[in-house]
Amino acid sequence: MQYNFPKGLYVDVRIEHLFSTRIRYTLKTLDECKERQYSAAFIRAYDGIRWYYASTSDLTSVQAEIDGLAKLAANNVGLEDMPVFKNFSDKKDKKLVFTGHEVSNVPLQEKVSLLESLMPLVEKNAYIKIWMLNYLDEYKVKEFYNSKGAELTWDFQRAGLSTGFQMAEGERQMRESYQIGKTRFNELKDFEEGITKLIKECEEFLLESEAVEPGIYPVLMSHVPTGVFVHECFGHKSESDFMIGDEATRKEWALGKKVGPEDLTIVESGLVEGNGYVIYDDEGNAATTTYLIKNGILTGRLHSAASAADLGEDVTGNARAMDFEHEPLVRMTTTYIENGAKTLDQLISETENGIYVKGVIHGSGMSTFTLAPSLAYYIKDGKIGKPVRISVISGNVFEALENIDGIANDLTMGSFVTGGCGKMAQFPLSVGFGGPHIRVKNMQVQ
């Protein structure tokens, strides 16, 4: 694609060709079953002072949008000497890794049948009063062009299904979900046993759980809570756009600072295949692997072209937008804690009086964080004990990182198929997360 870019400005064009499917049942009622396709573009212009944006679903109007933004901006003959300009991509590349596996080629009825195969697993349980089934997929091809000569084409794909349900017995209630997310439709299989085990565990939890005695506990987290913890507790603090112009925060999060135990390493990578696999970010910079914490030391953070220029660091390929209607922000891709040396049995046996969080409903955080558990259990005298109902677990980011005192060797990656990350109203952005079992001492449990 050839565009006439005005001189004295930086301009880029991000074109998205999207195919997506959404299927949703509530009980046996089909609420939604649709396929969607569009091609659209997001256009940016930068004059060294401010950004100008436009978006359109008419690809024939892209040049007119460029010309319109150029009239609003000021010509800047010194723009090419600015550090941020040097961070903008000039790459030429084409990577279509999902060719031959596009979800757009899978018949809609095959997707409906896959989702309907879950129905017997949830409807036969007497305690499940409401259940929902969701299937979604997305295949997106992106094109990127800018005034530095960049010409890129790459693709992104995900497919997944989930079941969410609410159980009740008298005044007792609980809700939980099972989700499986992959990058190819034919990988969505072998989930029946996992769903069946989860429903059985939830039934026992519903009937036997007791309210937690509020207090400070060591908390052992399984893979998904660990992933949500590292995303919410630390990942957002690594998104460096919030540091621009904030000297106090830069000092607080200075690279080289010890922030955790020596066996703690947190990685952020767009190269892990899954919901956070991006190839290139939405500024045309290649995805990278960044060690945010290595051996307990703060060693890196996530950048766009602008934040990297402001902090004098390298771009990391983390400028991401939810879709063509949004500008790129510094966002995570796949964030996870690396394996430690202990086993899960060791972590449990070392804990005299603690909490084991096996599932989580949601989390949020920046300087402080909260996790809302679903399935949780007491740990008594080094053994998993009674199921326990917890409203929220909360803490301070730095204190929580420093209080990690056990990391297992059973790293597992995960994703939320029906959700994602929300930042500045760009929700849901697809991300990946994961980790081994970890134990954090002295967490507030309510």
mmCIF file of all heavy atoms in Angstrom, residues 65-114:
data_model
loop_
_atom_site.group_PDB
_atom_site.id
_atom_site.type_symbol
_atom_site.label_atom_id
_atom_site.label_comp_id
_atom_site.label_asym_id
_atom_site.label_seq_id
_atom_site.Cartn_x
_atom_site.Cartn_y
_atom_site.Cartn_z
ATOM 1 N N GLU A 65 -7.795 10.952 5.332
ATOM 2 C CA GLU A 65 -7.619 11.104 6.786
ATOM 3 C C GLU A 65 -6.208 11.587 7.098
ATOM 4 O O GLU A 65 -6.008 12.431 7.983
ATOM 5 C CB GLU A 65 -7.893 9.777 7.489
ATOM 6 C CG GLU A 65 -9.316 9.256 7.353
ATOM 7 C CD GLU A 65 -10.319 10.081 8.158
ATOM 8 O OE1 GLU A 65 -9.910 10.991 8.900
ATOM 9 O OE2 GLU A 65 -11.521 9.797 8.020
ATOM 10 N N ILE A 66 -5.208 11.057 6.392
ATOM 11 C CA ILE A 66 -3.836 11.527 6.579
ATOM 12 C C ILE A 66 -3.741 13.013 6.280
ATOM 13 O O ILE A 66 -3.169 13.798 7.049
ATOM 14 C CB ILE A 66 -2.867 10.733 5.674
ATOM 15 C CG1 ILE A 66 -2.791 9.280 6.120
ATOM 16 C CG2 ILE A 66 -1.470 11.364 5.697
ATOM 17 C CD1 ILE A 66 -2.002 8.385 5.167
ATOM 18 N N ASP A 67 -4.317 13.419 5.163
ATOM 19 C CA ASP A 67 -4.264 14.832 4.762
ATOM 20 C C ASP A 67 -4.990 15.715 5.766
ATOM 21 O O ASP A 67 -4.543 16.840 6.061
ATOM 22 C CB ASP A 67 -4.882 14.999 3.373
ATOM 23 C CG ASP A 67 -4.106 14.236 2.290
ATOM 24 O OD1 ASP A 67 -2.926 13.915 2.530
ATOM 25 O OD2 ASP A 67 -4.695 13.961 1.229
ATOM 26 N N GLY A 68 -6.100 15.213 6.304
ATOM 27 C CA GLY A 68 -6.838 15.992 7.292
ATOM 28 C C GLY A 68 -6.058 16.186 8.579
ATOM 29 O O GLY A 68 -6.056 17.272 9.166
ATOM 30 N N LEU A 69 -5.359 15.146 9.039
ATOM 31 C CA LEU A 69 -4.547 15.275 10.248
ATOM 32 C C LEU A 69 -3.370 16.213 10.010
ATOM 33 O O LEU A 69 -2.979 16.977 10.908
ATOM 34 C CB LEU A 69 -4.035 13.894 10.684
ATOM 35 C CG LEU A 69 -5.090 12.891 11.160
ATOM 36 C CD1 LEU A 69 -4.421 11.577 11.563
ATOM 37 C CD2 LEU A 69 -5.915 13.435 12.313
ATOM 38 N N ALA A 70 -2.804 16.165 8.802
ATOM 39 C CA ALA A 70 -1.667 17.038 8.488
ATOM 40 C C ALA A 70 -2.055 18.511 8.572
ATOM 41 O O ALA A 70 -1.236 19.361 8.950
ATOM 42 C CB ALA A 70 -1.136 16.705 7.098
ATOM 43 N N LYS A 71 -3.298 18.819 8.254
ATOM 44 C CA LYS A 71 -3.752 20.217 8.335
ATOM 45 C C LYS A 71 -3.863 20.682 9.788
ATOM 46 O O LYS A 71 -3.748 21.882 10.071
ATOM 47 C CB LYS A 71 -5.097 20.354 7.633
ATOM 48 C CG LYS A 71 -5.023 20.182 6.121
ATOM 49 C CD LYS A 71 -6.403 20.283 5.489
ATOM 50 C CE LYS A 71 -6.321 20.073 3.977
ATOM 51 N NZ LYS A 71 -7.656 20.123 3.336
ATOM 52 N N LEU A 72 -4.095 19.747 10.700
ATOM 53 C CA LEU A 72 -4.223 20.097 12.124
ATOM 54 C C LEU A 72 -2.852 20.244 12.786
ATOM 55 O O LEU A 72 -2.698 21.014 13.736
ATOM 56 C CB LEU A 72 -5.028 19.028 12.860
ATOM 57 C CG LEU A 72 -6.469 18.805 12.408
ATOM 58 C CD1 LEU A 72 -7.061 17.601 13.141
ATOM 59 C CD2 LEU A 72 -7.314 20.057 12.664
ATOM 60 N N ALA A 73 -1.879 19.479 12.312
ATOM 61 C CA ALA A 73 -0.564 19.444 12.944
ATOM 62 C C ALA A 73 0.322 20.570 12.422
ATOM 63 O O ALA A 73 0.028 21.215 11.418
ATOM 64 C CB ALA A 73 0.085 18.090 12.684
ATOM 65 N N ALA A 74 1.434 20.775 13.136
ATOM 66 C CA ALA A 74 2.406 21.801 12.750
ATOM 67 C C ALA A 74 3.623 21.136 12.133
ATOM 68 O O ALA A 74 4.166 20.174 12.691
ATOM 69 C CB ALA A 74 2.810 22.636 13.965
ATOM 70 N N ASN A 75 4.074 21.630 10.999
ATOM 71 C CA ASN A 75 5.269 21.090 10.357
ATOM 72 C C ASN A 75 6.478 21.294 11.262
ATOM 73 O O ASN A 75 6.703 22.387 11.776
ATOM 74 C CB ASN A 75 5.484 21.794 9.017
ATOM 75 C CG ASN A 75 6.638 21.195 8.241
ATOM 76 O OD1 ASN A 75 7.786 21.431 8.578
ATOM 77 N ND2 ASN A 75 6.325 20.441 7.211
ATOM 78 N N ASN A 76 7.260 20.237 11.466
ATOM 79 C CA ASN A 76 8.401 20.293 12.379
ATOM 80 C C ASN A 76 9.635 19.779 11.647
ATOM 81 O O ASN A 76 9.818 18.570 11.493
ATOM 82 C CB ASN A 76 8.116 19.446 13.628
ATOM 83 C CG ASN A 76 9.196 19.567 14.684
ATOM 84 O OD1 ASN A 76 10.305 20.016 14.412
ATOM 85 N ND2 ASN A 76 8.871 19.152 15.900
ATOM 86 N N VAL A 77 10.498 20.689 11.190
ATOM 87 C CA VAL A 77 11.674 20.294 10.415
ATOM 88 C C VAL A 77 12.706 19.570 11.277
ATOM 89 O O VAL A 77 13.576 18.877 10.760
ATOM 90 C CB VAL A 77 12.327 21.517 9.740
ATOM 91 C CG1 VAL A 77 11.387 22.119 8.710
ATOM 92 C CG2 VAL A 77 12.737 22.563 10.781
ATOM 93 N N GLY A 78 12.616 19.714 12.604
ATOM 94 C CA GLY A 78 13.572 19.055 13.494
ATOM 95 C C GLY A 78 13.084 17.755 14.071
ATOM 96 O O GLY A 78 13.743 17.166 14.938
ATOM 97 N N LEU A 79 11.940 17.258 13.589
ATOM 98 C CA LEU A 79 11.334 16.063 14.168
ATOM 99 C C LEU A 79 12.254 14.845 14.079
ATOM 100 O O LEU A 79 12.342 14.054 15.028
ATOM 101 C CB LEU A 79 10.011 15.773 13.445
ATOM 102 C CG LEU A 79 9.237 14.545 13.932
ATOM 103 C CD1 LEU A 79 8.784 14.721 15.375
ATOM 104 C CD2 LEU A 79 8.040 14.290 13.020
ATOM 105 N N GLU A 80 12.963 14.695 12.971
ATOM 106 C CA GLU A 80 13.780 13.499 12.777
ATOM 107 C C GLU A 80 14.953 13.414 13.748
ATOM 108 O O GLU A 80 15.551 12.349 13.893
ATOM 109 C CB GLU A 80 14.285 13.449 11.337
ATOM 110 C CG GLU A 80 13.157 13.251 10.324
ATOM 111 C CD GLU A 80 13.680 13.054 8.917
ATOM 112 O OE1 GLU A 80 14.916 12.930 8.759
ATOM 113 O OE2 GLU A 80 12.870 13.023 7.981
ATOM 114 N N ASP A 81 15.287 14.512 14.410
ATOM 115 C CA ASP A 81 16.370 14.508 15.390
ATOM 116 C C ASP A 81 15.888 14.174 16.793
ATOM 117 O O ASP A 81 16.711 14.024 17.709
ATOM 118 C CB ASP A 81 17.075 15.874 15.402
ATOM 119 C CG ASP A 81 17.765 16.178 14.083
ATOM 120 O OD1 ASP A 81 18.292 15.232 13.472
ATOM 121 O OD2 ASP A 81 17.749 17.352 13.662
ATOM 122 N N MET A 82 14.583 14.058 16.990
ATOM 123 C CA MET A 82 14.034 13.775 18.320
ATOM 124 C C MET A 82 14.198 12.291 18.650
ATOM 125 O O MET A 82 14.048 11.428 17.773
ATOM 126 C CB MET A 82 12.560 14.171 18.370
ATOM 127 C CG MET A 82 12.310 15.655 18.136
ATOM 128 S SD MET A 82 10.549 16.088 18.186
ATOM 129 C CE MET A 82 10.183 15.778 19.913
ATOM 130 N N PRO A 83 14.519 11.964 19.906
ATOM 131 C CA PRO A 83 14.695 10.552 20.294
ATOM 132 C C PRO A 83 13.490 9.679 19.971
ATOM 133 O O PRO A 83 13.656 8.528 19.564
ATOM 134 C CB PRO A 83 14.951 10.633 21.805
ATOM 135 C CG PRO A 83 15.535 11.991 22.008
ATOM 136 C CD PRO A 83 14.849 12.886 21.016
ATOM 137 N N VAL A 84 12.278 10.210 20.131
ATOM 138 C CA VAL A 84 11.101 9.383 19.886
ATOM 139 C C VAL A 84 11.005 8.991 18.417
ATOM 140 O O VAL A 84 10.585 7.883 18.081
ATOM 141 C CB VAL A 84 9.814 10.103 20.357
ATOM 142 C CG1 VAL A 84 9.541 11.360 19.532
ATOM 143 C CG2 VAL A 84 8.618 9.157 20.300
ATOM 144 N N PHE A 85 11.406 9.885 17.520
ATOM 145 C CA PHE A 85 11.347 9.577 16.093
ATOM 146 C C PHE A 85 12.252 8.387 15.763
ATOM 147 O O PHE A 85 11.911 7.525 14.946
ATOM 148 C CB PHE A 85 11.751 10.794 15.270
ATOM 149 C CG PHE A 85 11.626 10.590 13.781
ATOM 150 C CD1 PHE A 85 10.416 10.800 13.147
ATOM 151 C CD2 PHE A 85 12.709 10.185 13.021
ATOM 152 C CE1 PHE A 85 10.281 10.613 11.775
ATOM 153 C CE2 PHE A 85 12.599 9.984 11.653
ATOM 154 C CZ PHE A 85 11.380 10.200 11.030
ATOM 155 N N LYS A 86 13.395 8.347 16.412
ATOM 156 C CA LYS A 86 14.340 7.263 16.157
ATOM 157 C C LYS A 86 13.799 5.912 16.643
ATOM 158 O O LYS A 86 14.255 4.864 16.191
ATOM 159 C CB LYS A 86 15.675 7.577 16.825
ATOM 160 C CG LYS A 86 16.331 8.839 16.260
ATOM 161 C CD LYS A 86 17.578 9.237 17.026
ATOM 162 C CE LYS A 86 18.157 10.537 16.463
ATOM 163 N NZ LYS A 86 19.357 10.984 17.203
ATOM 164 N N ASN A 87 12.830 5.951 17.541
ATOM 165 C CA ASN A 87 12.245 4.705 18.051
ATOM 166 C C ASN A 87 11.125 4.155 17.173
ATOM 167 O O ASN A 87 10.675 3.022 17.387
ATOM 168 C CB ASN A 87 11.706 4.910 19.465
ATOM 169 C CG ASN A 87 12.808 4.986 20.502
ATOM 170 O OD1 ASN A 87 13.927 4.542 20.263
ATOM 171 N ND2 ASN A 87 12.500 5.555 21.649
ATOM 172 N N PHE A 88 10.643 4.939 16.232
ATOM 173 C CA PHE A 88 9.588 4.450 15.360
ATOM 174 C C PHE A 88 10.167 3.455 14.354
ATOM 175 O O PHE A 88 11.295 3.588 13.889
ATOM 176 C CB PHE A 88 8.911 5.611 14.627
ATOM 177 C CG PHE A 88 8.156 6.539 15.528
ATOM 178 C CD1 PHE A 88 8.334 7.909 15.440
ATOM 179 C CD2 PHE A 88 7.262 6.052 16.469
ATOM 180 C CE1 PHE A 88 7.642 8.772 16.266
ATOM 181 C CE2 PHE A 88 6.566 6.907 17.306
ATOM 182 C CZ PHE A 88 6.757 8.274 17.206
ATOM 183 N N SER A 89 9.373 2.476 13.997
ATOM 184 C CA SER A 89 9.838 1.373 13.160
ATOM 185 C C SER A 89 10.119 1.818 11.727
ATOM 186 O O SER A 89 9.432 2.687 11.184
ATOM 187 C CB SER A 89 8.774 0.269 13.146
ATOM 188 O OG SER A 89 9.131 -0.768 12.268
ATOM 189 N N ASP A 90 11.118 1.181 11.120
ATOM 190 C CA ASP A 90 11.352 1.320 9.685
ATOM 191 C C ASP A 90 11.476 -0.054 9.027
ATOM 192 O O ASP A 90 12.051 -0.203 7.953
ATOM 193 C CB ASP A 90 12.600 2.169 9.411
ATOM 194 C CG ASP A 90 13.868 1.567 10.022
ATOM 195 O OD1 ASP A 90 13.786 0.478 10.640
ATOM 196 O OD2 ASP A 90 14.943 2.182 9.898
ATOM 197 N N LYS A 91 10.891 -1.078 9.683
ATOM 198 C CA LYS A 91 11.044 -2.451 9.226
ATOM 199 C C LYS A 91 10.126 -2.771 8.047
ATOM 200 O O LYS A 91 9.043 -2.187 7.914
ATOM 201 C CB LYS A 91 10.746 -3.432 10.364
ATOM 202 C CG LYS A 91 11.686 -3.328 11.554
ATOM 203 C CD LYS A 91 11.312 -4.333 12.621
ATOM 204 C CE LYS A 91 12.203 -4.202 13.846
ATOM 205 N NZ LYS A 91 13.616 -4.477 13.545
ATOM 206 N N LYS A 92 10.553 -3.733 7.258
ATOM 207 C CA LYS A 92 9.740 -4.321 6.203
ATOM 208 C C LYS A 92 9.714 -5.832 6.434
ATOM 209 O O LYS A 92 10.756 -6.478 6.474
ATOM 210 C CB LYS A 92 10.306 -3.998 4.824
ATOM 211 C CG LYS A 92 10.184 -2.536 4.410
ATOM 212 C CD LYS A 92 10.775 -2.301 3.026
ATOM 213 C CE LYS A 92 10.464 -0.903 2.505
ATOM 214 N NZ LYS A 92 11.085 0.152 3.330
ATOM 215 N N ASP A 93 8.508 -6.393 6.587
ATOM 216 C CA ASP A 93 8.419 -7.819 6.916
ATOM 217 C C ASP A 93 6.993 -8.298 6.688
ATOM 218 O O ASP A 93 6.039 -7.500 6.703
ATOM 219 C CB ASP A 93 8.820 -8.053 8.373
ATOM 220 C CG ASP A 93 9.011 -9.521 8.711
ATOM 221 O OD1 ASP A 93 9.170 -10.326 7.775
ATOM 222 O OD2 ASP A 93 9.004 -9.863 9.907
ATOM 223 N N LYS A 94 6.858 -9.601 6.491
ATOM 224 C CA LYS A 94 5.545 -10.234 6.385
ATOM 225 C C LYS A 94 5.602 -11.581 7.079
ATOM 226 O O LYS A 94 6.401 -12.447 6.700
ATOM 227 C CB LYS A 94 5.135 -10.413 4.926
ATOM 228 C CG LYS A 94 3.732 -10.976 4.747
ATOM 229 C CD LYS A 94 3.336 -11.008 3.284
ATOM 230 C CE LYS A 94 1.901 -11.499 3.106
ATOM 231 N NZ LYS A 94 1.499 -11.493 1.679
ATOM 232 N N LYS A 95 4.783 -11.746 8.125
ATOM 233 C CA LYS A 95 4.743 -12.998 8.876
ATOM 234 C C LYS A 95 3.284 -13.382 9.116
ATOM 235 O O LYS A 95 2.605 -12.754 9.922
ATOM 236 C CB LYS A 95 5.462 -12.853 10.217
ATOM 237 C CG LYS A 95 6.975 -12.776 10.116
ATOM 238 C CD LYS A 95 7.608 -12.718 11.497
ATOM 239 C CE LYS A 95 9.131 -12.648 11.387
ATOM 240 N NZ LYS A 95 9.770 -12.535 12.722
ATOM 241 N N LEU A 96 2.845 -14.409 8.411
ATOM 242 C CA LEU A 96 1.494 -14.948 8.598
ATOM 243 C C LEU A 96 1.648 -16.372 9.114
ATOM 244 O O LEU A 96 1.768 -17.319 8.341
ATOM 245 C CB LEU A 96 0.711 -14.901 7.289
ATOM 246 C CG LEU A 96 0.496 -13.503 6.699
ATOM 247 C CD1 LEU A 96 -0.200 -13.583 5.355
ATOM 248 C CD2 LEU A 96 -0.318 -12.633 7.663
ATOM 249 N N VAL A 97 1.673 -16.516 10.436
ATOM 250 C CA VAL A 97 2.015 -17.804 11.043
ATOM 251 C C VAL A 97 0.826 -18.751 11.137
ATOM 252 O O VAL A 97 1.003 -19.945 11.390
ATOM 253 C CB VAL A 97 2.637 -17.600 12.442
ATOM 254 C CG1 VAL A 97 3.890 -16.763 12.355
ATOM 255 C CG2 VAL A 97 1.638 -16.976 13.405
ATOM 256 N N PHE A 98 -0.392 -18.247 10.940
ATOM 257 C CA PHE A 98 -1.573 -19.095 11.092
ATOM 258 C C PHE A 98 -2.188 -19.500 9.757
ATOM 259 O O PHE A 98 -3.307 -20.025 9.720
ATOM 260 C CB PHE A 98 -2.607 -18.395 11.976
ATOM 261 C CG PHE A 98 -2.105 -18.122 13.357
ATOM 262 C CD1 PHE A 98 -1.756 -16.843 13.755
ATOM 263 C CD2 PHE A 98 -1.942 -19.166 14.256
ATOM 264 C CE1 PHE A 98 -1.263 -16.602 15.021
ATOM 265 C CE2 PHE A 98 -1.454 -18.932 15.531
ATOM 266 C CZ PHE A 98 -1.109 -17.646 15.920
ATOM 267 N N THR A 99 -1.477 -19.252 8.679
ATOM 268 C CA THR A 99 -1.959 -19.663 7.368
ATOM 269 C C THR A 99 -2.201 -21.177 7.339
ATOM 270 O O THR A 99 -1.340 -21.963 7.725
ATOM 271 C CB THR A 99 -0.939 -19.289 6.279
ATOM 272 O OG1 THR A 99 -0.771 -17.864 6.269
ATOM 273 C CG2 THR A 99 -1.429 -19.735 4.911
ATOM 274 N N GLY A 100 -3.399 -21.567 6.881
ATOM 275 C CA GLY A 100 -3.777 -22.975 6.864
ATOM 276 C C GLY A 100 -4.521 -23.417 8.108
ATOM 277 O O GLY A 100 -5.075 -24.519 8.139
ATOM 278 N N HIS A 101 -4.521 -22.562 9.140
ATOM 279 C CA HIS A 101 -5.227 -22.877 10.395
ATOM 280 C C HIS A 101 -6.210 -21.774 10.782
ATOM 281 O O HIS A 101 -6.605 -21.675 11.947
ATOM 282 C CB HIS A 101 -4.220 -23.079 11.529
ATOM 283 C CG HIS A 101 -3.244 -24.194 11.295
ATOM 284 N ND1 HIS A 101 -3.535 -25.511 11.560
ATOM 285 C CD2 HIS A 101 -1.982 -24.178 10.798
ATOM 286 C CE1 HIS A 101 -2.491 -26.264 11.254
ATOM 287 N NE2 HIS A 101 -1.536 -25.491 10.781
ATOM 288 N N GLU A 102 -6.629 -20.961 9.836
ATOM 289 C CA GLU A 102 -7.485 -19.823 10.149
ATOM 290 C C GLU A 102 -8.845 -20.292 10.680
ATOM 291 O O GLU A 102 -9.489 -21.163 10.088
ATOM 292 C CB GLU A 102 -7.713 -18.956 8.914
ATOM 293 C CG GLU A 102 -6.435 -18.355 8.325
ATOM 294 C CD GLU A 102 -5.872 -19.194 7.194
ATOM 295 O OE1 GLU A 102 -6.017 -20.446 7.260
ATOM 296 O OE2 GLU A 102 -5.295 -18.606 6.263
ATOM 297 N N VAL A 103 -9.282 -19.716 11.791
ATOM 298 C CA VAL A 103 -10.591 -20.063 12.341
ATOM 299 C C VAL A 103 -11.709 -19.633 11.408
ATOM 300 O O VAL A 103 -12.838 -20.141 11.505
ATOM 301 C CB VAL A 103 -10.791 -19.424 13.735
ATOM 302 C CG1 VAL A 103 -9.882 -20.074 14.758
ATOM 303 C CG2 VAL A 103 -10.586 -17.910 13.694
ATOM 304 N N SER A 104 -11.426 -18.721 10.499
ATOM 305 C CA SER A 104 -12.430 -18.307 9.524
ATOM 306 C C SER A 104 -12.799 -19.433 8.557
ATOM 307 O O SER A 104 -13.858 -19.379 7.910
ATOM 308 C CB SER A 104 -11.927 -17.094 8.732
ATOM 309 O OG SER A 104 -10.663 -17.358 8.155
ATOM 310 N N ASN A 105 -11.964 -20.455 8.463
ATOM 311 C CA ASN A 105 -12.238 -21.581 7.574
ATOM 312 C C ASN A 105 -12.969 -22.724 8.263
ATOM 313 O O ASN A 105 -13.307 -23.719 7.615
ATOM 314 C CB ASN A 105 -10.928 -22.106 6.976
ATOM 315 C CG ASN A 105 -10.284 -21.103 6.032
ATOM 316 O OD1 ASN A 105 -10.970 -20.281 5.423
ATOM 317 N ND2 ASN A 105 -8.957 -21.166 5.911
ATOM 318 N N VAL A 106 -13.187 -22.610 9.571
ATOM 319 C CA VAL A 106 -13.916 -23.648 10.304
ATOM 320 C C VAL A 106 -15.411 -23.353 10.207
ATOM 321 O O VAL A 106 -15.840 -22.233 10.531
ATOM 322 C CB VAL A 106 -13.485 -23.686 11.785
ATOM 323 C CG1 VAL A 106 -14.272 -24.757 12.549
ATOM 324 C CG2 VAL A 106 -11.985 -23.944 11.896
ATOM 325 N N PRO A 107 -16.241 -24.297 9.779
ATOM 326 C CA PRO A 107 -17.685 -24.042 9.660
ATOM 327 C C PRO A 107 -18.307 -23.628 10.986
ATOM 328 O O PRO A 107 -17.939 -24.148 12.053
ATOM 329 C CB PRO A 107 -18.243 -25.392 9.189
ATOM 330 C CG PRO A 107 -17.085 -26.082 8.538
ATOM 331 C CD PRO A 107 -15.874 -25.646 9.316
ATOM 332 N N LEU A 108 -19.244 -22.712 10.923
ATOM 333 C CA LEU A 108 -19.905 -22.225 12.132
ATOM 334 C C LEU A 108 -20.570 -23.363 12.897
ATOM 335 O O LEU A 108 -20.514 -23.414 14.133
ATOM 336 C CB LEU A 108 -20.940 -21.160 11.763
ATOM 337 C CG LEU A 108 -21.747 -20.552 12.904
ATOM 338 C CD1 LEU A 108 -20.846 -19.859 13.915
ATOM 339 C CD2 LEU A 108 -22.794 -19.581 12.366
ATOM 340 N N GLN A 109 -21.203 -24.289 12.202
ATOM 341 C CA GLN A 109 -21.901 -25.372 12.883
ATOM 342 C C GLN A 109 -20.933 -26.247 13.670
ATOM 343 O O GLN A 109 -21.299 -26.783 14.719
ATOM 344 C CB GLN A 109 -22.667 -26.229 11.875
ATOM 345 C CG GLN A 109 -23.529 -27.307 12.525
ATOM 346 C CD GLN A 109 -24.492 -26.744 13.560
ATOM 347 O OE1 GLN A 109 -25.221 -25.790 13.296
ATOM 348 N NE2 GLN A 109 -24.509 -27.339 14.761
ATOM 349 N N GLU A 110 -19.710 -26.382 13.206
ATOM 350 C CA GLU A 110 -18.716 -27.164 13.936
ATOM 351 C C GLU A 110 -18.377 -26.495 15.265
ATOM 352 O O GLU A 110 -18.170 -27.163 16.285
ATOM 353 C CB GLU A 110 -17.464 -27.335 13.078
ATOM 354 C CG GLU A 110 -16.466 -28.338 13.636
ATOM 355 C CD GLU A 110 -15.345 -28.653 12.681
ATOM 356 O OE1 GLU A 110 -15.494 -28.386 11.468
ATOM 357 O OE2 GLU A 110 -14.294 -29.162 13.142
ATOM 358 N N LYS A 111 -18.349 -25.174 15.280
ATOM 359 C CA LYS A 111 -18.090 -24.436 16.514
ATOM 360 C C LYS A 111 -19.275 -24.552 17.466
ATOM 361 O O LYS A 111 -19.101 -24.726 18.684
ATOM 362 C CB LYS A 111 -17.803 -22.975 16.182
ATOM 363 C CG LYS A 111 -16.600 -22.782 15.274
ATOM 364 C CD LYS A 111 -16.483 -21.343 14.790
ATOM 365 C CE LYS A 111 -15.359 -21.198 13.775
ATOM 366 N NZ LYS A 111 -15.240 -19.816 13.251
ATOM 367 N N VAL A 112 -20.497 -24.464 16.914
ATOM 368 C CA VAL A 112 -21.698 -24.620 17.737
ATOM 369 C C VAL A 112 -21.727 -26.018 18.360
ATOM 370 O O VAL A 112 -22.008 -26.183 19.558
ATOM 371 C CB VAL A 112 -22.964 -24.377 16.892
ATOM 372 C CG1 VAL A 112 -24.216 -24.740 17.701
ATOM 373 C CG2 VAL A 112 -23.042 -22.921 16.438
ATOM 374 N N SER A 113 -21.420 -27.030 17.576
ATOM 375 C CA SER A 113 -21.449 -28.413 18.074
ATOM 376 C C SER A 113 -20.429 -28.629 19.185
ATOM 377 O O SER A 113 -20.696 -29.335 20.168
ATOM 378 C CB SER A 113 -21.199 -29.387 16.931
ATOM 379 O OG SER A 113 -22.220 -29.291 15.955
ATOM 380 N N LEU A 114 -19.253 -28.023 19.026
ATOM 381 C CA LEU A 114 -18.240 -28.141 20.077
ATOM 382 C C LEU A 114 -18.755 -27.548 21.376
ATOM 383 O O LEU A 114 -18.624 -28.150 22.448
ATOM 384 C CB LEU A 114 -16.961 -27.423 19.646
ATOM 385 C CG LEU A 114 -15.844 -27.377 20.699
ATOM 386 C CD1 LEU A 114 -15.287 -28.773 20.943
ATOM 387 C CD2 LEU A 114 -14.733 -26.430 20.276
#
